[in-house]
Amino acid sequence: MLQARCCLNQKGTILGLDLQNCSLKDPGPNFPQAQTAVIIDLQANPLKDDLANIFRGFTQLQTLILPQDVSCPGGINAWNTVTFYMNNQTCQGQRNLCNSTGDQEMCPENGSCVPDGPGLLQCVCADGFHGYKCMRQGSFSLLMFFGILGSTTLSVSILLWGTQRRKAKAS
C-alpha cells in the first residue's frame, strides 16, 4: 500500500521509504520511526558521510540506496553487496555481525549478542541478570532504589525546611 513516499503493509508498518532528491543533509529526528523499513532510497541528497548511528535499530533493512559520495553505514563489511553506479551506490543484504566477527568473547558470560542495525550490535543480558557486564543476578530492586531515594529526599527536605524556618523566625 503506497502512502506519499512510503510503502506500508496492511498494519501500517513502513516497509519502504523513498526519500530521493529531498535535499536532506541528515534524515532528521523522526527517522527512527522507519526502523521496520526493508528498503530506503536516499539518493540525490546532500547527506553528511557519517550515517552509522542514524541507522541504529534498523535490523530489517536489506537495501539502502545512497549518494555516491556517502559510504554505507557500518562500512563495506556490514553488507553482503555494495554496488557503485554513476549517481548512487546500493548497499544490499545487511550482515549479522554477531555471526561474522568470530569473537566469542564479544559479550559477557551472561549476555548474548544481537544485531542493532548495519555494522552495529549490542549485548543483551540473559534472563535473571542485569547491570554492568551482566554480572548481577536477580532483578533490579525498584522498591529499594526508590525507597532509599524517597527517604533521602524527604530527610533533606525536612532538614532544609527546619533551617529556613529558624531564619524566618529570627527576622
Side-chain angles (χ1 to χ4, degrees):
M1 180 170 61
L2 284 175
Q3 186 177 8
R5 289 180 167 241
C6 295
C7 180
L8 310 172
N9 66 8
Q10 273 67 29
K11 295 177 183 175
T13 306
I14 298 173
L15 298 177
L17 195 56
D18 178 10
L19 295 174
Q20 66 175 319
N21 204 16
C22 290
S23 301
L24 298 174
K25 291 185 176 142
D26 65 64
N30 295 327
F31 192 63
Q33 293 176 4
Q35 285 184 347
T36 56
V38 177
I39 181 169
I40 298 176
D41 187 349
L42 291 168
Q43 66 181 317
N45 283 299
L47 294 169
K48 59 183 179 183
D49 190 34
D50 185 26
L51 296 177
N53 285 325
I54 291 173
F55 287 96
R56 181 171 297 281
F58 284 74
T59 56
Q60 306 298 315
L61 185 62
Q62 289 303 309
T63 304
L64 179 62
I65 306 166
L66 296 168
Q68 189 157 23
D69 60 335
V70 177
S71 13
C72 293
I76 292 175
N77 293 332
W79 301 90
N80 291 328
T81 309
V82 177
T83 311
F84 294 91
Y85 297 103
M86 191 119 127
N87 297 325
N88 63 45
Q89 65 176 310
T90 304
C91 318
Q92 288 186 301
Q94 189 179 158
R95 287 186 182 161
N96 182 346
L97 290 184
C98 294
N99 297 338
S100 63
T101 58
D103 185 6
Q104 299 298 326
E105 300 295 319
M106 183 172 298
C107 290
E109 183 178 332
N110 301 317
S112 59
C113 180
V114 292
D116 197 23
L120 301 167
L121 51 88
Q122 64 175 321
C123 295
V124 177
C125 295
D127 287 341
F129 291 91
H130 68 279
Y132 178 67
K133 292 190 176 184
C134 304
M135 299 290 274
R136 297 195 177 171
Q137 197 165 3
S139 60
F140 182 75
S141 177
L142 289 174
L143 183 63
M144 185 169 76
F145 175 77
F146 286 113
I148 291 170
L149 179 66
S151 62
T152 304
T153 303
L154 183 65
S155 300
V156 169
S157 297
I158 291 171
L159 177 73
L160 292 174
W161 178 78
T163 59
Q164 293 302 315
R165 186 159 168 80
R166 260 194 251 148
K167 285 184 181 178
K169 282 184 178 179
S171 325

